[in-house]
Amino acid sequence: MVDQSEQAKVQKIDALEYDEMVKQIKPKPTVLKNSVWAFVVGGLICTIGQGLLELFKATGLDIREAGAATSVVLIGMGAILTGLGVYDELGKRAGAGSIVPITGFANSIVAAAMEFKREGYVFGVGARMFQVAGPVLVYGITTGVLIGLVAYLFK
């Protein structure tokens, strides 16, 4: 009969051996590679946005109109690329670099809508589309109204 102290030693050795096996099999973290991809992709999205802004300004739009047009194009591009499945693949490679606010926001809304489309247009797409983006919209709208009221009162 094996006493409890010997059994504990055997279990401890087994646990150490197991940890060693896990270390050998576990993939090595690729923090540097992931950081570079995120930087490059995020920078590329921002560069495209800046290029669009400059293009719209060159066509005679003032800065506010050019900014609005740029936002519309980037949101449209994010939505279309999500619908085609390209944005998800980009997100797998680029990680945080693909969630640049405007295109990442479009992606979150379209991806949620696509995920629930089989539940129907009202209870699926309509109800679930804002599941991820809803809190952001509520916060943005509420903040905008409050700032507008403060500006109106102190004008």
Side-chain angles (χ1 to χ4, degrees):
M1 183 167 206
V2 179
D3 68 0
Q4 289 182 350
S5 63
E6 285 185 37
Q7 191 176 13
K9 286 180 185 177
V10 170
Q11 285 179 345
K12 189 170 187 172
I13 291 171
D14 289 341
L16 292 174
E17 288 175 6
Y18 178 77
D19 286 343
E20 200 54 45
M21 288 174 26
V22 168
K23 285 180 186 176
Q24 291 174 359
I25 295 172
K26 186 169 74 171
K28 306 294 183 248
T30 55
V31 175
L32 181 62
K33 182 179 118 183
N34 293 345
S35 299
V36 169
W37 265 107
F39 180 79
V40 169
V41 171
L44 183 62
I45 292 170
C46 292
T47 302
I48 291 169
Q50 187 65 41
L52 288 168
L53 180 70
E54 297 302 323
L55 178 70
F56 287 127
K57 285 185 349 187
T59 62
L61 297 177
D62 67 26
I63 188 70
R64 293 181 82 180
E65 293 170 339
T70 301
S71 296
V72 168
V73 170
L74 286 173
I75 289 169
M77 285 173 45
I80 290 169
L81 291 176
T82 299
L84 296 174
V86 174
Y87 208 91
D88 293 336
E89 289 299 317
L90 183 67
K92 286 179 188 174
R93 296 217 188 277
S98 67
I99 57 171
V100 173
I102 198 158
T103 54
F105 186 68
N107 172 271
S108 69
I109 291 176
V110 173
M114 288 177 56
E115 183 177 344
F116 294 104
K117 70 182 175 186
R118 67 181 167 275
E119 294 179 23
Y121 288 113
V122 175
F123 292 112
V125 176
R128 306 287 182 131
M129 182 166 65
F130 296 106
Q131 186 173 357
V132 174
V136 176
L137 292 172
V138 169
Y139 179 77
I141 291 167
T142 304
T143 304
V145 168
L146 291 175
I147 290 173
L149 285 173
V150 169
Y152 178 76
L153 293 174
F154 290 104
K155 203 172 197 186

